[in-house]
Amino acid sequence: MKKLLKTSFIASLSLFLFNCSSDDSTAIIEGPCPGPEPIETEKTYYLSAIEQNYYDEDEESNEKYLLHVNYKLDYDADFKLNKILYTDTGYTNNEIVREQSLEMHHTLDENGKLQSFTLKNGATIIEEYTYTYATNLLQSANYNLVAQGGAFTSKFSYNQKKQMISNTASAANLLIDYSYNTNNQINQFKANGQVIKLTYDDKISPFYNLPFDLTSLIINFNYIFPYTYTFPNNITSFTTGNEVADVDFTYNEVNLPTKAIYYDGKREDNIVAFDVTYTYTVKETAVQP
């Protein structure tokens, strides 16, 4: 019966389409029936979740370790970021040995720039970063590591192109110099004398439409790159001396990364240090003709 109804519906629809231009069954069909134009939509991708798995193994005890980290991004109705819900679970030989739940909050200044970034456990502040600017350039970042009982301030300087070229925090014994390639990407930085070279893909960063960039958090370079620094693309390798650590990405239909595998060495050695999965929510907006 369902098949018969479906066949009848299609036949009726075909009859309607091919007869709406004239009452005369012998008339020549002149074109499509009048009706509303199809609605065109614009899609915007918002990062909704990040999952990380860090792997390690003790060769002497043969114990395997896994730290599973989850970031859930919470937006308001207009897709403005409210906060990030952070959880992590640690395993030793598949048994849970630690669990933690935190929240990441932020404030923006009148120019929409990151003013503060706070990590909380309930009402208790674990860490709080505050940022100051002059002529729209970050001048300093204060890192108040409350749970650790310490704090320090990084100061930044720039070249004539307004590129960040140094990051100095004497209280933390931190001195970083940045160099750029012809694409205005930081392709090398020197941290306390150690040189690390970077390469990039030509795809979009998952943080492209957020008020801050958490690339440095994901790759454990928290104080080397401030969250205010925007990575236009994704880092595909790290080189220190003769040692190379590769990164492989998988992308979606709009060239945003959905999966990243960070190797402990070259990709052909297939030793995975950690992996990251990115999930997005798609907002569709009608485009006015």
Side-chain angles (χ1 to χ4, degrees):
M1 178 62 74
K2 289 184 179 179
K3 184 176 181 181
L4 178 61
L5 289 174
K6 183 177 180 182
T7 304
S8 299
F9 173 75
I10 293 173
S12 300
L13 180 62
S14 300
L15 184 65
F16 170 76
L17 289 175
F18 286 99
N19 282 283
C20 62
S21 59
S22 174
D23 293 336
D24 188 351
S25 60
T26 62
I28 298 174
I29 298 172
E30 297 177 353
C33 306
E37 292 290 331
I39 298 174
E40 294 186 10
T41 59
E42 182 179 75
K43 293 182 179 181
T44 306
Y45 288 71
Y46 291 89
L47 185 63
S48 58
I50 307 168
E51 288 190 45
Q52 280 184 285
N53 291 300
Y54 294 92
Y55 305 94
D56 200 1
E57 184 175 358
D58 189 320
E59 294 181 358
E60 293 183 1
S61 64
N62 203 29
E63 287 187 326
K64 294 183 178 181
Y65 306 102
L66 168 66
L67 178 63
H68 178 74
V69 181
N70 184 276
Y71 302 83
K72 183 178 179 181
L73 285 73
D74 179 73
Y75 296 91
D76 66 14
D78 297 320
F79 278 92
K80 291 183 179 179
L81 184 64
N82 284 325
K83 60 185 176 182
I84 300 175
L85 305 176
Y86 170 95
T87 59
D88 69 49
T89 307
Y91 300 85
T92 298
N93 293 335
N94 296 321
E95 292 187 6
I96 297 176
V97 294
R98 62 167 281 177
E99 290 182 288
Q100 183 175 215
S101 296
L102 304 170
E103 291 188 0
M104 297 174 173
H105 296 263
H106 68 281
T107 60
L108 306 177
D109 64 15
E110 63 276 6
N111 296 316
K113 292 185 176 295
L114 185 62
Q115 190 171 45
S116 69
F117 185 90
T118 307
L119 191 63
K120 292 183 176 182
N121 182 358
T124 302
I125 295 177
I126 306 299
E127 295 181 6
E128 185 171 32
Y129 311 158
T130 54
Y131 306 88
T132 58
Y133 303 85
T135 61
N136 284 326
L137 296 176
L138 179 68
Q139 299 299 305
S140 66
N142 178 260
Y143 300 98
N144 187 9
L145 311 179
V146 180
Q148 300 178 43
F152 67 92
T153 299
S154 282
K155 295 184 178 180
F156 304 89
S157 63
Y158 300 83
N159 60 18
Q160 293 181 343
K161 295 181 179 180
K162 298 183 178 180
Q163 295 171 326
M164 182 175 66
I165 57 173
S166 71
N167 172 358
T168 306
S170 56
N173 191 30
L174 188 66
L175 175 60
I176 304 169
D177 296 314
Y178 307 96
S179 301
Y180 294 78
N181 60 21
T182 55
N183 293 324
N184 295 320
Q185 300 163 321
I186 293 177
N187 64 339
Q188 177 179 297
F189 66 89
K190 183 187 294 185
N192 295 344
Q194 184 181 39
V195 176
I196 299 178
K197 297 179 180 180
L198 308 174
T199 61
Y200 297 85
D201 61 15
D202 58 355
K203 307 298 191 297
I204 308 169
S205 162
F207 308 106
Y208 78 104
N209 57 358
L210 292 179
F212 46 81
D213 192 318
L214 292 180
T215 298
S216 58
L217 176 61
I218 298 299
I219 61 178
N220 298 317
F221 283 170
N222 251 336
Y223 311 118
I224 292 176
F225 298 100
Y227 295 166
T228 57
Y229 177 76
T230 300
F231 287 86
N233 307 107
N234 306 287
I235 299 172
T236 55
S237 73
F238 306 82
T239 302
T240 305
N242 295 323
E243 297 182 1
V244 179
D246 287 322
V247 187
D248 280 339
F249 285 94
T250 303
Y251 308 94
N252 63 13
E253 63 276 11
V254 293
N255 286 327
L256 283 165
T258 56
K259 182 84 173 182
I261 299 176
Y262 290 77
Y263 295 98
D264 185 6
K266 295 182 178 181
R267 60 175 54 83
E268 52 263 33
D269 296 335
N270 200 30
I271 302 173
V272 178
F274 63 96
D275 58 51
V276 186
T277 301
Y278 298 100
T279 305
Y280 302 88
T281 296
V282 181
K283 177 186 176 183
E284 295 194 35
T285 306
V287 178
Q288 296 297 328

